[in-house]
Amino acid sequence: MKKLKIVILFFIFCACKNDFLDRPPLDQIGIDSYWKTAKDLENYVIQFYPTFPSHSFWQFGYGYSIKNADNAIEGTPNTILNGERGVTGGRWTSEWSNIRGVNIFLDNYQQCKDNFELYKHFLGEAYFFRAWYYFELVKKYGGVPWVSTELLPTSGEELMRQRDPRTVVVDSILADLDHAIEVLSLRSKYGNNRISKEAALAFKTRIALYEGTWQKYHAGTAFGTQGANAGKYFQACVNAAETLMSGNYQVGIYNNYYTLFGLDNMSSANEILLYRAYNIKDGVSNDVQYQTTFQPFEVGVTWSLISNYLDKNGQPYDYSELASTTKGNAFLTKIAQDVDPRFHATVWTPGDVVSVARTQFFGKPSVDQVGAWLNPTGFQLKKCSNPNSPGAGSTGGGNSETGYILFRYGEVLLNYAEALYELNGNVATNALNQLRTRVGMPGFVVHPQSSDPNWTDYGYPVSDALYEIRRERRVELALEGFREDDYKRWAAHALFKGKRPKGYPFDQNEFPAYHPPLDEKGLIDYFKNFLPNGYQFKENRDYLSSIPAEELNLNPNLTQNPGW
């Protein structure tokens, strides 16, 4: 029993006493017999921690969502980018169950007999979780019914509600986070594998930036909200970020960009505001190292991402010119020497140490392999690897305990920089330079887009400053799961529509028996035969998912999303 308790504790990445398993089943709690002590409230809210995203096992070892955008591909074309999704069947009941669970807490916590000071942190956690679950719904469906109390089978009118405008839902989410920020404890009390005031402020910057840009760039389309004030959200992002940046909070920038993402114990890294912890000895582990150091599982980083890295002098770099004369391993080695060190922290290059214990080094990308061994682009995922990890260079089965980062201060600085510029045209040079300084890059400079040989087309004009701010975001947050949210909120399907993801310049001498499809520049063009016309994203539909069909039948007051 004790062993099982420890396992559960690590899944929820926080500690509590041994009475955790002795509580009544949460779906059988008598309303009148529970909620009496602060411990009751803590035990109840802890159940939501395992619902955070996480690293997992085998081909899902690398838990960050990286396959639904233009930074990486896997062996088959992505159905979202290629407009191939069908209408969602069934119901969305499971997506609301956690919201109902939090609402039960919020309906009943005031029955607690203990002093408010003893349980106010747990109230803040509940508000944070409701904001988390609703934000996921908004990103997926747009406007949804805002429900702030427990629904019962007898709640007839509430069960048949219309969808609230997305701005109403987002405003309610931000209000929840304001409640959370007011009562949550600082990270210094509970550590960074439990929700804190710092994490809630970071979350507020993420949501406010998302909604501000969504409303700005989708204005006048079926996805925008009539009367929405994008500036209100940019201001909310700026305010939350400045509070975190200037207050008495445990924040900072970790000194080594590469090491940061492969840490097992992330508790001492001030940059990491909230993370999910693992421990092999207690049966809680993942396969991050397996996927980053052993088998890439068909994941390949794209030319589109790589060609965004500036050179080490902070100037645009002509990757195509280099690729015309330098290929394969020589290309990887050359750009690792020449460009922003965050490239070398993200993609394997020849000679890199893969495993210290096993004395393994990276030879060349596995572009000629199949199945789990395949890397389709030549740019092989390195980020989150840790050569000193027990799992480095080993097979799967849970040999890694690499932490999963939910919020880090680096993201806050980028959220702030983008929101500040969108709000008033000011460039947050000091914030951005904290990220540049960490990796030894020169200070942030705005280059004319005309000087960039790898110009990025967003489908609409952006200023030179905003272009560089977006570049910095892409490079700093590469392969951490942000890119899908970014292109959607920017209405930037032009980044990939009608285009195919490319790989590195192939060197036939390194793979004599392999003949991949190549483009006219000699870059691996893995989907050349699958996507003759490039991705076919449906911009009038695919920015949101469809409301499940059965829900529309059960509730005629619900409306379907555009294009579905």
Side-chain angles (χ1 to χ4, degrees):
M1 175 66 83
K2 184 177 180 182
K3 177 78 170 181
L4 179 59
K5 292 173 185 174
I6 294 175
V7 169
I8 291 177
L9 294 182
F10 275 98
F11 264 107
I12 60 177
F13 51 113
C14 55
C16 61
K17 295 181 181 178
N18 287 344
D19 61 357
F20 177 81
L21 294 182
D22 298 327
R23 63 186 183 180
L26 293 178
D27 61 351
Q28 300 177 23
I29 295 173
I31 294 299
D32 294 330
S33 61
Y34 203 66
W35 320 108
K36 302 305 181 186
T37 67
K39 194 59 172 178
D40 289 339
L41 302 186
E42 181 179 25
N43 283 345
Y44 186 92
V45 80
I46 278 174
Q47 71 173 305
F48 301 110
Y49 275 88
T51 66
F52 277 135
S54 67
H55 297 308
S56 188
F57 299 98
W58 305 101
Q59 69 266 40
F60 304 109
Y62 191 89
Y64 302 118
S65 177
I66 61 174
K67 301 172 185 176
N68 294 334
D70 58 343
N71 281 351
I73 64 169
E74 54 183 348
T76 56
N78 182 269
T79 57
I80 297 176
L81 301 187
N82 203 33
E84 294 177 329
R85 288 183 296 169
V87 174
T88 306
R91 303 191 61 186
W92 60 8
T93 306
S94 62
E95 297 178 279
W96 290 86
S97 61
N98 288 318
I99 292 175
R100 180 177 183 272
V102 176
N103 284 341
I104 290 173
F105 178 100
L106 295 173
D107 285 346
N108 291 281
Y109 78 90
Q110 290 178 315
Q111 297 184 47
C112 184
K113 304 295 184 182
D114 287 338
N115 188 283
F116 180 67
E117 291 298 315
L118 296 177
Y119 67 81
K120 67 178 185 179
H121 178 81
F122 316 133
L123 175 62
E125 288 175 304
Y127 278 120
F128 185 101
F129 278 117
R130 188 165 69 179
W132 179 276
Y133 299 134
Y134 260 111
F135 186 49
E136 292 302 302
L137 289 178
V138 167
K139 289 193 296 180
K140 185 173 183 179
Y141 298 118
V144 293
W146 175 264
V147 180
S148 59
T149 189
E150 178 190 5
L151 291 185
L152 301 170
T154 55
S155 306
E157 290 187 8
E158 285 294 305
L159 290 170
M160 301 298 286
R161 283 187 54 183
Q162 298 178 359
R163 300 168 64 180
D164 287 306
R166 63 177 292 140
T167 50
V168 170
V169 182
V170 172
D171 289 348
S172 300
I173 292 171
L174 294 176
D176 271 359
L177 281 177
D178 286 339
H179 291 315
I181 291 164
E182 183 179 357
V183 295
L184 281 168
S185 299
L186 295 170
R187 168 184 166 175
S188 57
K189 180 173 183 179
Y190 286 105
N192 62 346
N193 58 8
R194 190 153 178 177
I195 295 166
S196 64
K197 197 180 294 287
E198 288 95 327
L201 283 164
F203 192 21
K204 186 174 181 181
T205 70
R206 181 185 295 180
I207 294 172
L209 175 64
Y210 189 100
E211 190 62 16
T213 47
W214 180 280
Q215 295 297 349
K216 175 177 179 176
Y217 293 103
H218 288 282
T221 75
F223 299 106
T225 306
Q226 188 174 5
N229 179 1
K232 177 181 73 172
Y233 299 108
F234 294 137
Q235 187 68 65
C237 176
V238 167
N239 290 348
E242 289 182 342
T243 298
L244 189 58
M245 293 160 64
S246 60
N248 184 26
Y249 298 106
Q250 191 174 340
V251 297
I253 293 297
Y254 189 77
N255 62 0
N256 189 305
Y257 180 82
Y258 170 63
T259 302
L260 176 67
F261 304 99
L263 291 171
D264 293 340
N265 184 345
M266 297 178 166
S267 60
S268 62
N270 282 352
E271 180 169 351
I272 298 175
L273 307 179
L274 182 65
Y275 84 105
R276 187 164 185 160
Y278 301 82
N279 188 293
I280 292 174
K281 292 181 180 179
D282 294 303
V284 184
S285 60
N286 57 58
D287 277 333
V288 173
Q289 298 308 315
Y290 174 38
Q291 192 165 3
T292 56
T293 67
F294 195 75
Q295 288 185 321
F297 280 100
E298 301 187 352
V299 172
V301 182
T302 64
W303 175 273
S304 172
L305 169 60
I306 300 308
S307 59
N308 266 237
Y309 290 87
L310 299 169
D311 70 19
K312 287 183 177 178
N313 296 316
Q315 300 297 315
Y317 188 85
D318 197 335
Y319 291 85
S320 292
E321 181 181 8
L322 178 66
S324 67
T325 60
T326 309
K327 302 182 184 299
N329 273 4
F331 180 85
L332 294 173
T333 299
K334 178 62 174 171
I335 60 175
Q337 294 170 349
D338 289 354
V339 308
D340 187 324
R342 285 173 289 191
F343 162 78
H344 194 199
T346 303
V347 174
W348 289 107
T349 57
D352 284 348
V353 178
V354 171
S355 171
V356 172
R358 295 172 174 81
T359 319
Q360 294 177 359
F361 300 87
F362 187 77
K364 60 183 179 181
S366 54
V367 297
D368 60 336
Q369 301 298 305
V370 296
W373 289 101
L374 171 65
N375 164 31
T377 66
F379 299 118
Q380 196 154 318
L381 176 63
K382 178 183 179 182
K383 197 169 191 176
C384 293
S385 65
N386 178 353
N388 296 298
S389 167
S394 72
T395 59
N399 293 311
S400 307
E401 47 191 23
T402 309
Y404 185 103
I405 300 172
L406 292 158
F407 293 93
R408 68 179 178 96
Y409 188 58
E411 181 208 344
V412 174
L413 297 177
L414 291 162
N415 294 346
Y416 173 69
E418 186 178 344
L420 184 68
Y421 185 81
E422 292 281 15
L423 182 66
N424 57 27
N426 291 338
V427 177
T429 304
N430 291 338
L432 295 170
N433 281 346
Q434 293 181 55
L435 304 175
R436 293 287 189 98
T437 299
R438 185 239 301 273
V439 295
M441 284 288 286
F444 181 84
V445 174
V446 176
H447 301 287
Q449 293 173 59
S450 59
S451 70
D452 189 353
N454 317 291
W455 181 69
T456 298
D457 180 11
Y458 290 101
Y460 49 81
V462 298
S463 69
D464 291 341
L466 185 58
Y467 183 89
E468 289 298 334
I469 290 169
R470 288 185 178 185
R471 183 208 300 272
E472 190 70 21
R473 180 179 183 87
R474 187 178 193 184
V475 166
E476 174 69 23
L477 299 179
L479 306 171
E480 294 176 48
F482 292 96
R483 187 64 173 174
E484 180 182 5
D485 287 349
D486 287 347
Y487 88 73
K488 286 183 175 179
R489 65 188 178 86
W490 292 334
H493 57 273
L495 290 167
F496 52 82
K497 182 168 182 179
K499 304 171 185 176
R500 291 191 299 272
K502 305 295 179 65
Y504 79 159
F506 181 71
D507 186 347
Q508 189 69 64
N509 294 322
E510 293 173 351
F511 302 93
Y514 180 56
H515 302 278
L518 304 178
D519 73 359
E520 66 280 1
K521 297 179 180 179
L523 305 181
I524 291 180
D525 192 354
Y526 194 77
F527 291 152
K528 187 173 186 177
N529 299 321
F530 295 100
L531 301 174
N533 299 311
Y535 285 126
Q536 295 300 301
F537 184 87
K538 296 179 173 61
E539 62 269 26
N540 295 321
R541 186 195 74 175
D542 287 331
Y543 279 112
L544 294 173
S545 297
S546 64
I547 303 296
E550 191 172 341
E551 294 297 336
L552 296 172
N553 292 331
L554 290 171
N555 181 3
N557 294 317
L558 291 177
T559 55
Q560 185 56 281
N561 273 327
W564 293 102

